[in-house]
Amino acid sequence: MTGILLIKKYGTHSALNMFTEYSMTDPGELAPFFGFTEQEVQLLCEKYDMNFDEARAWYDGYELISHRRTGDIHYAMYSPKSVVEAMLRHKFGTYWNQTETYEALKVYIQMDMDGLKDAVVEMLAGASVRINTGTFANDMTTFATKDDVLTLLVHLGYLTYDSENETVTIPNKEVSQEYVNAISTMDWHGVIQSVQASRELLSSLWAGNADAVAKGIDRAHEDISILQYNNENALSCTINLAFYFAREYYTIVRELPTGKGFADICFIPRKLHLDKPAAIIELKWDKSATGALTQIKEKHYTAALHDYAGDLLLVGINYNRDTKKHECVIEKVQKTS
């Protein structure tokens, strides 16, 4: 039997209940057959002369796990329909809406569930959200909590589930665009305004205009004020959403290990965009932007970008609780490999 959802749950022990189920939340031994594996996509990119880094950014993100006696096997799963279209058309793009429109996603994310909007905004900013999949009734009509809605979105492919940490995230650039499409037709005006303003903010970063970057983040903070803004994690979500357009050119890594700590946010140019500068962003909460910049240097965070050579922006950002404003300092350096 095949299908998107699990077998419907019934409240009686006499119902047929002896199925073995393989799903996006628990794929079992069938995990490598849910889509294209990373190795398969690498071979396709070689055959069709397409850039693998771009394919990964656009269509990867579904992490499935098979639990075996010899140890767990992790599979990076790619959307097969989208990969096929990209290879045949020789162009990376959004092919998701050829099989489903954003209206279907819109129906679910605007449901009146406590915490659902916050969760979607956090994931759009690149964060993961913890959920409980156990209460899901395995249908598309019965929802008791936001976790039920998010679990459905996992089975529909709009989210990916990390079974080890019990968290969900938006898997890739293509699916993320569907969220933007849906939100642009809803009353989430602040969120979409922040996304639209991210082009200008990125240009200000490239130009080294620290004042413009600080003001742009101020606006983003006002636009997405639904997030509880009282720690560095909330600040990180704001920064990531404010720089949403950076995903066009960069692989964005949060808390990149450096050997002497973790760099809060790193923008690493993909191979097709090596003309863009890399960036290391350190965040501070009610301290100082200059102190954040000093930390990048003292802890040698630049060493984490061991495969990168070229222009590098060191960025310190601080949120001042008294003034309720962001402060930014930017320093441009040249990194050799």
Side-chain angles (χ1 to χ4, degrees):
M1 297 178 66
T2 61
I4 294 175
L5 297 181
L6 304 171
I7 304 301
K8 178 75 174 75
K9 291 180 180 178
Y10 289 97
T12 173
H13 293 293
S14 62
L16 183 59
N17 58 9
M18 297 300 290
F19 283 99
T20 298
E21 296 177 324
Y22 302 90
S23 69
M24 292 294 286
T25 56
D26 189 8
E29 293 297 311
L30 296 184
F33 307 107
F34 273 55
F36 286 161
T37 64
E38 188 162 84
Q39 292 75 17
E40 290 169 335
V41 175
Q42 285 177 321
L43 291 174
L44 286 170
C45 286
E46 291 175 9
K47 179 177 179 179
Y48 289 92
D49 193 26
M50 296 287 281
N51 185 278
F52 174 67
D53 283 345
E54 289 299 304
R56 176 188 288 160
W58 275 95
Y59 310 123
D60 185 20
Y62 299 99
E63 303 297 325
L64 302 183
I65 302 176
S66 281
H67 302 285
R68 298 182 180 177
R69 183 165 41 184
T70 55
D72 294 345
I73 299 179
H74 294 249
Y75 295 95
M77 199 59 52
Y78 289 64
S79 171
K81 165 68 174 175
S82 301
V83 170
V84 168
E85 290 289 346
M87 297 300 124
L88 295 179
R89 296 171 183 263
H90 210 73
K91 172 189 171 185
F92 294 110
T94 302
Y95 301 108
W96 183 278
N97 56 16
Q98 293 183 2
T99 58
E100 188 74 78
T101 70
Y102 66 81
E103 289 290 339
L105 175 62
K106 177 180 174 180
V107 167
Y108 299 113
I109 64 175
Q110 65 181 355
M111 284 187 171
D112 186 21
M113 297 288 179
D114 185 42
L116 179 59
K117 183 176 181 179
D118 286 15
V120 172
V121 171
E122 288 182 34
M123 289 188 292
L124 197 62
S128 57
V129 173
R130 191 172 184 84
I131 69 166
N132 172 20
T133 62
T135 61
F136 182 51
N138 299 353
D139 63 28
M140 303 176 73
T141 57
T142 307
F143 304 104
T145 67
K146 72 175 178 62
D147 287 353
D148 293 343
V149 178
L150 297 178
T151 302
L152 173 61
L153 294 180
V154 172
H155 292 295
L156 295 178
Y158 288 108
L159 294 174
T160 182
Y161 178 65
D162 182 337
S163 59
E164 293 182 328
N165 297 311
E166 298 181 339
T167 58
V168 288
T169 54
I170 297 175
N172 53 47
K173 182 177 173 181
E174 181 186 41
V175 178
S176 182
Q177 185 57 48
E178 288 304 297
Y179 280 85
V180 172
N181 291 342
I183 291 171
S184 67
T185 63
M186 295 159 50
D187 61 354
W188 296 13
H189 303 302
V191 177
I192 202 63
Q193 285 169 3
S194 180
V195 169
Q196 292 170 345
S198 64
R199 290 175 182 263
E200 182 180 346
L201 184 62
L202 186 61
S203 296
S204 297
L205 177 69
W206 289 339
N209 191 337
D211 289 340
V213 169
K215 290 177 182 177
I217 297 171
D218 283 342
R219 288 193 295 270
H221 175 208
E222 294 171 2
D223 290 340
I224 55 174
S225 57
I226 62 169
L227 295 176
Q228 292 185 355
Y229 211 63
N230 53 14
N231 53 41
E232 283 189 15
N233 183 59
L235 175 59
S236 179
C237 283
T238 297
I239 302 300
N240 275 278
L241 194 55
F243 281 106
Y244 179 86
F245 188 66
R247 304 174 200 194
E248 193 74 17
Y249 309 101
Y250 295 100
T251 296
I252 300 177
V253 182
R254 299 178 65 174
E255 296 193 349
L256 179 68
T258 66
K260 293 187 177 182
F262 295 86
D264 286 329
I265 304 172
C266 287
F267 291 175
I268 306 172
R270 298 196 297 275
K271 289 183 178 179
L272 289 184
H273 308 291
L274 292 178
D275 59 318
K276 308 301 182 187
I280 295 177
I281 303 175
E282 182 65 22
L283 307 177
K284 292 297 178 185
W285 182 264
D286 209 29
K287 293 180 182 177
S288 78
T290 303
L293 188 63
T294 300
Q295 181 173 321
I296 293 174
K297 297 176 181 179
E298 290 182 347
K299 294 194 175 183
H300 304 290
Y301 285 173
T302 57
L305 304 181
H306 47 79
D307 293 329
Y308 176 78
D311 291 338
L312 175 60
L313 301 175
L314 309 182
V315 185
I317 296 174
N318 176 64
Y319 177 72
N320 188 307
R321 284 194 298 176
D322 293 332
T323 65
K324 300 190 183 303
K325 297 291 183 182
H326 297 82
E327 305 155 347
C328 177
V329 291
I330 301 174
E331 183 176 320
K332 184 177 180 180
V333 300
Q334 190 71 22
K335 185 181 181 299
T336 57
S337 58

